[in-house]
Amino acid sequence: MLLRDLAWLVALADHGHVTDTAAVLRTSQPTLSRALARVEAELGARVFERAHGGVHLTPTGEIVVAAARDLTARYDQLLSDLGSVLDPDAGVVRLAFLDSIATSLVPRLLRSFHGHAPRVRVLLSQEPAHEIGRDLGTGAVDLAITSPRPPGDHGWYPLQEERLVLVVPPGHRLRDRGRVRLEELAGEELVTTPAGFGYRFLVDALLRDAGVSPAISFESQDLATIEGLVAAGLGVAIVPEPFAGQSGTVGLPIASEGARRTIGLTWRTDRPLPAPAARFRDYVTGSARRPAVPGQPAS
């Protein structure tokens, strides 16, 4: 039995007349009648009763057409799903990104890509770095904008480098310093991200290299919230420079070459990317050959 025959059964059930249905399907009445006879012979059951002015479903036909609707709908969904994976012009890209760049780099990049490929849909997941790594591993997302670069079989394209600064409350003892050594944080309370977050690894490494281990006063997943807690006098924090001063804190440069974070686009290299995701990756990594995304370094 052909899937086309099942689709024709559904159409005939909807229109109730062989001649009208054949016209809608752009086939001949004998061809449609032969398809119906073929299905009934294969099933060993009569699907339609012929009557003056048209046809109507038998009780058995009700069951057959209900199943035919389900099968043809599933096939249409299959074609749609394959299009999302295979069509680079109108498919779907699943992109994860860090919370801390949700209002800066990501909107600029998506606006640029949308102008290049307006029919491609991008499904967004806003996540911390450790969840991004997990979702890349399971295939829940195709690409991610994250920091630091994930270990293992991952491609990497740097998009933006941010200087990290120390933020302190307006009345803090270090507020007038032009530059701060992390060793000077001994005895301070630190507001930072929870253990296990990629950003926390970066901050802990900086402090460890400086030989200090400040007490943790508060933890938050959100860097903007961390800056606000510092403004309220609940400790000091190390944050990307764009977050400094948002709630009245004072941002101080850190005397360490390692006080930076690189944000980049990453993807798995141990399996092929779906065509729409590959198009997104290729567009971003080929940006040196077209107008650059604001905030993105030239390659």
Side-chain angles (χ1 to χ4, degrees):
M1 188 185 307
L2 299 176
L3 187 65
R4 185 205 66 179
D5 293 344
L6 295 179
W8 284 10
L9 281 188
V10 172
L12 183 55
D14 289 341
H15 293 282
H17 196 282
V18 175
T19 302
D20 292 346
T21 304
V24 170
L25 296 174
R26 297 184 179 181
T27 190
S28 67
Q29 180 177 337
T31 300
L32 177 59
S33 295
R34 284 194 297 270
L36 173 59
R38 184 166 55 246
V39 171
E40 290 184 327
E42 185 171 340
L43 294 176
R46 181 172 291 277
V47 178
F48 290 95
E49 290 289 353
R50 284 70 173 173
H52 180 70
V55 296
H56 60 84
L57 289 168
T58 66
T60 302
E62 296 278 0
I63 298 172
V64 172
V65 169
R69 289 188 192 279
D70 184 52
L71 290 169
T72 54
R74 286 172 180 262
Y75 182 71
D76 290 342
Q77 184 63 52
L78 169 63
L79 295 180
S80 176
D81 291 345
L82 286 176
S84 296
V85 174
L86 301 177
D87 187 354
D89 297 320
V92 175
V93 178
R94 298 169 301 166
L95 176 69
F97 61 93
L98 294 172
D99 296 331
S100 57
I101 55 173
T103 60
S104 54
L105 175 62
V106 170
R108 294 194 299 267
L109 186 59
L110 292 178
R111 182 175 64 244
S112 178
F113 179 70
H114 182 68
H116 168 72
R119 294 173 59 216
V120 175
R121 293 188 297 126
V122 183
L123 300 182
L124 301 174
S125 302
Q126 187 172 327
E127 303 172 351
H130 64 284
E131 292 183 8
I132 286 175
R134 178 198 64 202
D135 286 348
L136 280 172
T138 63
V141 298
D142 306 313
L143 302 157
I145 301 175
T146 189
S147 178
R149 178 178 184 169
D153 297 320
H154 290 87
W156 178 255
Y157 183 78
L159 292 171
Q160 179 172 288
E161 187 174 86
E162 295 177 328
R163 184 170 67 166
L164 304 182
V165 299
L166 179 72
V167 288
V168 300
H172 194 272
R173 62 183 177 87
L174 298 173
R175 67 185 183 279
D176 295 325
R177 297 285 297 278
R179 195 172 176 86
V180 174
R181 292 178 296 106
L182 291 177
E183 293 90 332
E184 297 178 79
L185 299 187
E188 294 284 349
E189 290 188 321
L190 185 73
V191 185
T192 187
T193 53
F197 278 59
Y199 190 78
R200 175 67 175 270
F201 284 123
L202 176 58
V203 171
D204 285 351
L206 284 172
L207 295 171
R208 184 170 57 251
D209 290 345
V212 292
S213 183
I216 306 298
S217 57
F218 290 92
E219 295 178 337
S220 172
Q221 300 182 20
D222 182 60
L223 292 175
T225 299
I226 288 173
E227 189 270 343
L229 293 172
V230 172
L234 298 175
V236 301
I238 297 171
V239 299
E241 190 171 24
F243 287 87
Q246 290 186 359
S247 302
T249 55
V250 177
L252 304 170
I254 297 172
S256 170
E257 286 299 318
R260 297 178 177 276
R261 76 164 177 172
T262 300
I263 294 170
L265 180 71
T266 188
W267 59 94
R268 293 291 297 267
T269 56
D270 57 346
R271 57 185 177 228
L273 279 174
R279 182 174 184 178
F280 185 94
R281 178 203 58 195
D282 294 346
Y283 177 78
V284 172
T285 59
S287 61
R289 295 186 292 276
R290 52 177 174 69
V293 177
Q296 178 176 320
S299 58

